[in-house]
């Protein structure tokens, strides 16, 4: 249960939001720096392409696995202890990478970092719902989204260059930045422990005693927002992974990724006010269709008869608009779909959907491209967006009819 706040108070002035923003900036800075660098470090140590690919695969697998345990940790340990453990687990293993470039050591560090990343992602999203009332939640998620996206926009494209041109160890030392977020984690944890005092189950999953039907009823409202999120993060993950392999070289890939990540960050922030004013559901189908059209443009631009590199950049930027906006809208929808006591469950399910979609984009599009082409792979993800847009539109019309009745 969130404490009431002044509805005219700027989001950044809400108690706890400042600490959340700084914790997220530090946490995602470490994540963004090591995302491209840790696999390169494995290759430096003699690993092949498959071994390097395992580095981030282990990171995401550990993240998804531990995200399911975060609601339990919040219930048993409280916010402060859970958050402090999360930022330390995410940051300190980066320093361990300085010791060796052997694959086994890197994979172990990735698994530990995944556990910390699970805490930071689930708790960050849940904290927004605890700190800010539903009427302004879209704008608050937008501010949080900027804190999450900014490090990825500015650090991910440059991390590999710094590692190879200066020294890998510089990146690894700076990659420990999440560990410096302990004071922010403590401040945020104290605020949230105060808010949830007296109702210990406020952050715990609520399931009727031993009844599978109770669990199903709790999770059912989260299916549609998770499906929408999966539909947009699958192509997003594919473009983030394969942009350098789309045929136009490193410079075009860098510009395209900059367009995608900047558009995602800005749209995730700006769409929050629209979601608060008009509700999120009306924007979902058009944004999915925009994503599908942009993916078709990307696929067409990399064919021999396509319009060229500039249109690939345009297409990736338009994908970024949908990618960022739908992250905000699906999280708003997920929180609105469950009782207050299940916010951490909604956050965990949302984050699992995000990370699963990102992983599937790399895996599925890569598999399709190996057998056919990247154009076919991107067209497949576009088709997925169209199908889910139809499902979301039908669901919205059904809900509207029920409201009238």
């Amino acid at each position: 249960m969130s404490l009431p706040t002044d509805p005219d108070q700027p989001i950044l002035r809400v108690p706890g939001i400042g600490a959340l923003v700084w914790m997220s900036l530090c946490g995602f800075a470490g994540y963004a720096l090591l995302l491209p660098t840790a696999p390169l470090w494995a290759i430096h140590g003699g690993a092949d392409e498959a071994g390097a690919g395992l580095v981030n695969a282990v990171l995401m697998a550990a993240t998804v696995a531990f995200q399911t345990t975060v609601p339990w940790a919040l219930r048993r340990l409280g916010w402060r202890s859970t958050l402090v453990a999360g930022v330390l687990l995410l940051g300190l293993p980066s320093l361990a990478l300085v010791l060796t470039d052997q694959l086994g050591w890197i994979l172990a560090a990735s698994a530990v970092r995944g556990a910390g990343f699970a805490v930071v992602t689930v708790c960050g999203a849940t904290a927004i719902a605890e700190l800010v009332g539903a009427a302004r939640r879209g704008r608050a998620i937008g501010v949080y989204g900027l804190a999450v996206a900014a490090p990825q926009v500015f650090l991910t494209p440059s991390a590999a260059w710094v590692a190879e041109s200066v020294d890998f160890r510089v990146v690894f030392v700076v990659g420990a930045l999440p560990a410096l977020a302990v004071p922010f984690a403590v401040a945020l944890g104290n605020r949230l422990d105060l808010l949830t005092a007296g109702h210990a189950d406020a952050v715990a999953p609520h399931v009727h005693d031993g009844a599978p039907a109770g669990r199903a009823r709790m999770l059912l409202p989260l299916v549609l927002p998770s499906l929408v999120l999966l539909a947009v993060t699958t192509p997003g993950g594919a473009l983030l992974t394969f942009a350098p392999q789309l045929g136009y070289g490193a410079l075009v890939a860098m510009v395209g990724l900059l367009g995608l990540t900047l558009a995602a960050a800005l749209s995730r922030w700006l769409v929050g006010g629209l979601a608060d004013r008009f509700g999120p559901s009306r924007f979902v189908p058009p944004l999915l269709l925009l994503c599908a059209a942009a993916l078709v443009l990307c696929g067409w631009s990399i064919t021999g008869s396509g319009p060229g590199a500039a249109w690939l950049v345009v297409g990736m930027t338009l994908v970024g608009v949908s990618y960022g906006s739908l992250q905000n809208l699906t999280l708003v929808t997920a929180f609105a779909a469950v009782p207050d006591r299940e916010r951490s469950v909604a956050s965990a399910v949302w984050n699992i959907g995000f990370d699963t979609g990102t992983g599937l984009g790399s895996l599925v599009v890569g598999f399709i491209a190996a057998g056919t082409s990247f154009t076919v792979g991107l067209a497949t993800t576009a088709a997925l967006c169209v199908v889910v847009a139809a499902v979301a539109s039908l669901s919205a019309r059904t809900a509207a009819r029920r409201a009238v009745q």
Side-chain angles (χ1 to χ4, degrees):
M1 182 176 65
S2 301
L3 292 180
T5 58
D6 182 355
D8 297 322
Q9 185 180 36
I11 295 295
L12 286 174
R13 297 285 184 87
V14 174
I17 291 292
L20 173 62
V21 166
W22 281 109
M23 186 192 77
S24 300
L25 283 170
C26 292
F28 277 85
Y31 168 78
L33 282 167
L34 266 65
L35 195 64
T37 309
L40 285 177
W41 188 233
I43 291 177
H44 183 274
D48 59 12
E49 300 296 333
L54 278 175
V55 174
N56 285 337
V58 168
L59 171 70
M60 300 316 297
T63 298
V64 170
F66 278 95
Q67 280 169 341
T68 63
T69 70
V70 174
W72 174 88
L74 290 174
R75 184 174 74 249
R76 297 297 184 188
L77 304 177
W79 280 91
R80 183 174 62 182
S81 297
T82 301
L83 286 170
V84 169
V87 295
L88 291 176
L89 288 170
L90 180 57
L92 293 180
S94 183
L95 297 176
L97 294 177
V98 173
L99 302 177
T100 178
D101 57 8
Q102 294 305 299
L103 180 60
W105 186 261
I106 298 171
L107 294 179
S110 293
V112 177
R113 290 178 57 239
F117 192 55
V119 172
V120 171
T121 53
V122 173
C123 289
T126 308
I128 286 293
E130 292 290 342
L131 295 169
V132 180
R136 297 199 298 163
R137 197 163 289 159
R139 281 168 284 179
I141 290 172
V143 170
Y144 169 67
L146 277 181
V148 166
Q152 298 175 71
V153 171
F154 295 107
L155 297 180
T156 297
S158 61
W161 180 87
V162 172
E164 294 185 315
S165 302
V166 184
D167 196 314
F168 279 91
R169 292 169 180 83
V170 172
V171 178
F172 297 148
V173 170
V174 181
L177 191 60
L180 299 183
V182 167
F184 305 118
V186 169
L188 177 61
N190 286 338
R191 175 65 180 173
L192 290 167
D193 282 331
L194 175 65
L195 289 178
T196 57
H199 48 95
D201 65 338
V203 294
H206 181 79
V207 182
H208 293 89
D209 296 337
R215 181 179 295 273
R217 284 194 297 270
M218 181 183 70
L219 295 177
L220 187 60
L222 300 176
V223 170
L224 182 58
S226 297
L227 184 62
V228 171
L229 186 64
L230 188 72
V232 76
T233 54
T234 296
L239 290 173
L240 288 169
T241 300
F242 297 116
Q245 302 177 44
L246 296 182
Y248 289 112
L251 179 60
V252 172
M254 184 180 70
V255 175
L257 288 173
L258 183 62
L260 189 155
T261 53
L262 273 175
L266 292 174
S267 60
R268 188 172 178 178
W269 171 46
L270 294 172
V271 80
L274 296 174
D276 290 339
R277 184 175 180 182
F278 301 107
S281 61
R282 69 176 63 191
F283 300 106
V284 170
L287 283 166
L288 283 170
L289 293 177
L290 173 64
C291 188
L295 288 165
V296 170
L297 177 59
C298 290
W300 180 36
S301 70
I302 60 177
T303 63
S305 59
W311 288 100
L312 174 62
V313 172
V314 171
M316 291 178 66
T317 303
L318 291 175
V319 169
V321 172
S322 296
Y323 184 70
S325 297
L326 288 170
Q327 288 175 42
N328 185 315
L329 298 174
T330 52
L331 188 55
V332 171
T333 303
F335 283 137
V338 299
D340 288 351
R341 63 178 177 269
E342 292 160 4
R343 286 168 177 162
S344 64
V345 177
S347 176
V349 170
W350 185 90
N351 277 285
I352 289 170
F354 183 93
D355 294 328
T356 300
T358 302
L360 281 176
S362 177
L363 182 66
V364 173
V365 172
F367 179 79
I368 294 173
T372 54
S373 67
F374 280 114
T375 296
V376 175
L378 293 175
T380 302
T381 62
L384 174 64
C385 288
V386 172
V387 171
V388 176
V391 173
S393 181
L394 178 62
S395 175
R397 286 199 297 268
T398 302
R401 284 198 298 268
R402 288 177 178 172
V404 171
Q405 295 173 355

